[in-house]
Amino acid sequence: MTEGSGRNGLSLLNPPGLYDPTPNGYSHVALLPPGARLAFIAGQGGETADGWLSALFCEQVRQALKNLCTAIEAVGGTPQQIAKLTVLIVDHSEARLQVFGEELVHALGRGPKPACTLIPVPRLALDGMLFEVEAVVLLDEV
């Protein structure tokens, strides 16, 4: 079983008997300690603070992950404290999955990745929006 443990007790696990999800940018299980303090980060798209949205999938993913990190930092967390991601991709493909995996390494580093569910969708909230990501984050105790 591959495992990663964070400073706040978050354990990311890939149990024997399940395939290795590392190349696809996630872990099978995120185990939180008893009494965990959580933040739920709403879906972040690829728009900049002034509302600009690139037409390129890779740029939207990069900006959405940047937006996610900004939201996490606003509540006193770090990207390494993400327990669970939900990802929505318009016109999902293996190529888009690869882009997501590469951008996730860029945003979160090379260590174990959070548990993640990827949902292919026909459309998102805004015209031209191709990617959205939400997170559950394990925060340090106050």
Side-chain angles (χ1 to χ4, degrees):
M1 171 176 355
T2 59
E3 181 174 339
S5 229
R7 68 172 195 249
N8 56 359
L10 173 63
S11 296
L12 301 171
L13 312 168
N14 291 310
L18 299 177
Y19 85 99
D20 179 8
T22 306
N24 294 327
Y26 72 98
S27 296
H28 285 292
V29 178
L31 181 63
L32 288 71
R37 183 171 161 249
L38 302 176
F40 296 85
I41 309 298
Q44 299 297 308
E47 61 280 350
T48 59
D50 62 1
W52 181 77
L53 183 65
S54 171
L56 299 177
F57 180 76
C58 62
E59 289 181 8
Q60 285 194 30
V61 173
R62 187 174 303 128
Q63 183 64 47
L65 291 170
K66 181 179 176 187
N67 295 345
L68 179 67
C69 290
T70 298
I72 292 168
E73 290 166 7
V75 295
T78 69
Q80 290 68 39
Q81 292 171 281
I82 299 170
K84 169 79 167 71
L85 293 174
T86 302
V87 174
L88 306 169
I89 296 179
V90 173
D91 296 328
H92 173 63
S93 66
E94 290 289 327
R96 288 191 169 184
L97 178 60
Q98 184 174 353
V99 168
F100 169 61
E102 291 168 359
E103 291 299 331
L104 200 59
V105 169
H106 179 72
L108 305 184
R110 295 221 171 266
K113 299 302 175 278
C116 183
T117 299
L118 187 153
I119 304 169
V121 295
R123 177 181 164 84
L124 290 167
L126 303 175
D127 288 341
M129 194 173 176
L130 302 173
F131 181 87
E132 186 172 0
V133 59
E134 68 177 27
V136 177
V137 181
L138 174 61
L139 299 175
D140 293 331
E141 293 184 28
V142 182

